[in-house]
């Protein structure tokens, strides 16, 4: 999926802006359909790892969003959990 670059508009958090942009792009690509179910901050079982977005459709797609306010310290652990639980990771 191509990267999405957005500026943080006042009044919105950067992550919420990115989540909306990612969902819009996935809708355009027909990866999110009217039958899809979307969870915000979905926790993968007892791992404690949260997906920024989890999209339940024919497959489970996990979305991790990193903004300039985030650190990459947890990314390795997050990706391990995503790979165990998701069919697709964005």
């Amino acid at each position: 999926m191509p990267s999405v670059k957005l500026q943080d508009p006042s009044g919105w958090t950067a992550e919420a802006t990115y989540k909306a942009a990612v969902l819009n792009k996935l809708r355009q690509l027909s990866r999110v359909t009217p039958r899809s179910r979307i969870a915000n901050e979905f926790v993968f079982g007892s791992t404690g790892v949260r997906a920024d977005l989890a999209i339940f459709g024919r497959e489970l797609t996990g979305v991790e969003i990193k903004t300039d306010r985030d650190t990459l310290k947890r990314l390795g652990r997050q990706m391990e959990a995503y790979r165990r639980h998701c069919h697709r990771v964005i």
Side-chain angles (χ1 to χ4, degrees):
M1 181 174 152
S3 64
V4 177
K5 293 186 179 183
L6 298 175
Q7 299 213 351
D8 186 9
S10 61
W12 284 82
T13 66
E15 189 169 309
T17 302
Y18 280 106
K19 285 179 182 180
V22 167
L23 287 173
N24 285 335
K25 186 64 174 179
L26 292 173
R27 283 186 185 102
Q28 290 172 0
L29 297 171
S30 299
R31 292 190 184 163
V32 172
T33 68
R35 295 187 62 134
S36 299
R37 298 295 173 251
I38 301 165
N40 184 44
E41 299 296 326
F42 182 80
V43 179
F44 294 117
S46 63
T47 66
V49 172
R50 293 176 189 264
D52 288 314
L53 295 170
I55 303 163
F56 298 87
R58 291 186 180 142
E59 296 180 333
L60 172 57
T61 300
V63 178
E64 180 59 32
I65 297 171
K66 295 294 185 195
T67 68
D68 57 353
R69 296 179 183 160
D70 288 314
T71 176
L72 300 178
K73 288 180 186 176
R74 297 174 295 149
L75 187 59
R77 183 169 168 260
Q78 289 170 317
M79 290 300 100
E80 286 177 28
Y82 276 68
R83 285 187 201 109
R84 275 197 311 266
H85 298 296
C86 299
H87 298 98
R88 184 182 309 259
V89 178
I90 298 173

